[in-house]
Amino acid sequence: MLQTWLHALPFLLGAGFLTWLVSVQLRNVTIVDTLWSLMFVIAAFSYAATTLPPGPRAQLVLVLVTVWGLRLAIYLGRRNFGHEEDRRYQKIRRRNEPGFAWKSLYLVFGLQAVLAWVISLPLLGAIAGDASPLGWLDYAGAALCLVGLYFEAVGDWQLTRFKANPANAGRVMDQGLWGLTRHPNYFGDFCVWWGFGLVALAAGAWWSLIGPALMSVLLLEVSRVPLLEKDTAQRRPAYRDYIARTNAFFPGPRRTGTAAR
């Protein structure tokens, strides 16, 4: 199985390299956000290619990761098209000039390829692990993935519709799923990857839980939630009130007083 895992890394690094070439021409590395979810689709099909014929569990995971990956890539690609580089990457660019165009190959694209490779472990475990028939743990994992897809897709749709209304200019989105959690899309990511983890467990690949655990750390502590909230609260004072009354990550009723997770 180690050989199967290693087999995917060159494909991920290659995808990162090709996308980096495009980013140099655009002078905008935000394109890596669109690549991110596609890396998992690439990894999954790489694993399947070395474990043919794919059984029911592998087929289930391939369908779920493809739907998740393509939807997210299309959404982010459409959202970012024609816009300037994301503030996150502008800050990284300023810190690493001169020569960021070259440094971004490993600081941004190479790093994300390696992270995706590690996080994809539950895909490896589910596809190349025990080929036993589907059981309750598989169905529970698939259901959790679907819950995650719902939070991501519906949350993104609600936010897009909110921003498209000129009457909402300057306002903070706190409706629908955004009234239950400040980050329904990231909570959705969390559910999707722990769903894949459950399917991998059903295949006997307990070690693959490293993947969803790493994704959880990235979402909660390292990149997404902390950086986004710090930046948004500094630019938009109204967001501070939203923080005080709405759960940061796990959905729940509106709060009063200090923010909660």
Side-chain angles (χ1 to χ4, degrees), residues 108-120:
V108 178
F109 294 89
L111 175 61
Q112 295 218 17
V114 173
L115 285 173
W117 181 56
V118 176
I119 293 170
S120 72

Side-chain angles (χ1 to χ4, degrees), residues 63-81:
V63 170
L64 289 172
V65 76
T66 300
V67 171
W68 171 79
L70 290 180
R71 188 214 70 85
L72 185 56
I74 292 170
Y75 168 75
L76 291 175
R78 292 182 61 184
R79 188 191 69 178
N80 296 332
F81 182 76

Side-chain angles (χ1 to χ4, degrees), residues 173-176 178-180 242 244-247 252-256:
M173 171 57 164
D174 61 353
Q175 304 166 18
W178 297 84
L180 300 176
Y242 178 56
R245 56 191 169 83
T246 308
N247 281 14
R254 293 184 184 273
R255 304 289 184 103
T256 58

Side-chain angles (χ1 to χ4, degrees), residues 134-182:
L134 297 179
W136 70 268
L137 204 53
D138 296 288
Y139 297 119
L144 189 56
C145 283
L146 292 177
V147 169
L149 281 168
Y150 173 82
F151 268 83
E152 286 193 48
V154 174
D156 288 339
W157 173 74
Q158 289 176 342
L159 183 60
T160 299
R161 189 178 62 170
F162 179 84
K163 288 182 174 180
N165 186 347
N168 293 326
R171 296 177 57 198
V172 175
M173 171 57 164
D174 61 353
Q175 304 166 18
L177 295 179
W178 297 84
L180 300 176
T181 164
R182 303 199 297 271

Side-chain angles (χ1 to χ4, degrees), residues 39-234:
M39 284 185 174
F40 296 104
V41 180
I42 294 170
F45 277 90
S46 171
Y47 301 147
T50 60
T51 56
L52 292 175
R57 183 172 290 110
Q59 294 173 11
L60 173 65
V61 167
L62 288 172
V63 170
L64 289 172
V65 76
T66 300
V67 171
W68 171 79
L70 290 180
R71 188 214 70 85
L72 185 56
I74 292 170
Y75 168 75
L76 291 175
R78 292 182 61 184
R79 188 191 69 178
N80 296 332
F81 182 76
H83 293 276
E84 66 178 1
E85 192 171 59
D86 188 274
R87 290 185 181 87
R88 293 169 296 149
Y89 299 120
Q90 288 182 22
K91 291 179 180 178
I92 297 174
R93 181 183 293 275
R94 287 193 295 268
R95 288 198 303 265
N96 291 280
E97 291 288 12
F100 178 72
W102 296 101
K103 294 176 183 177
S104 65
L105 174 59
Y106 60 88
L107 288 176
V108 178
F109 294 89
L111 175 61
Q112 295 218 17
V114 173
L115 285 173
W117 181 56
V118 176
I119 293 170
S120 72
L121 280 171
L123 304 179
L124 170 68
I127 292 171
D130 181 10
S132 59
L134 297 179
W136 70 268
L137 204 53
D138 296 288
Y139 297 119
L144 189 56
C145 283
L146 292 177
V147 169
L149 281 168
Y150 173 82
F151 268 83
E152 286 193 48
V154 174
D156 288 339
W157 173 74
Q158 289 176 342
L159 183 60
T160 299
R161 189 178 62 170
F162 179 84
K163 288 182 174 180
N165 186 347
N168 293 326
R171 296 177 57 198
V172 175
M173 171 57 164
D174 61 353
Q175 304 166 18
L177 295 179
W178 297 84
L180 300 176
T181 164
R182 303 199 297 271
H183 301 282
N185 43 358
Y186 298 156
F187 172 72
D189 252 354
F190 176 89
C191 291
V192 166
W193 283 99
W194 281 105
F196 287 139
L198 291 181
V199 178
L201 273 181
W206 58 267
W207 42 264
S208 69
L209 296 184
I210 294 171
L214 176 56
M215 177 65 90
S216 300
V217 171
L218 291 175
L219 289 170
L220 286 166
E221 303 297 342
V222 178
S223 58
R224 302 294 186 180
V225 172
L227 289 180
L228 179 63
E229 298 224 320
K230 181 180 179 181
D231 177 69
T232 305
Q234 288 174 346

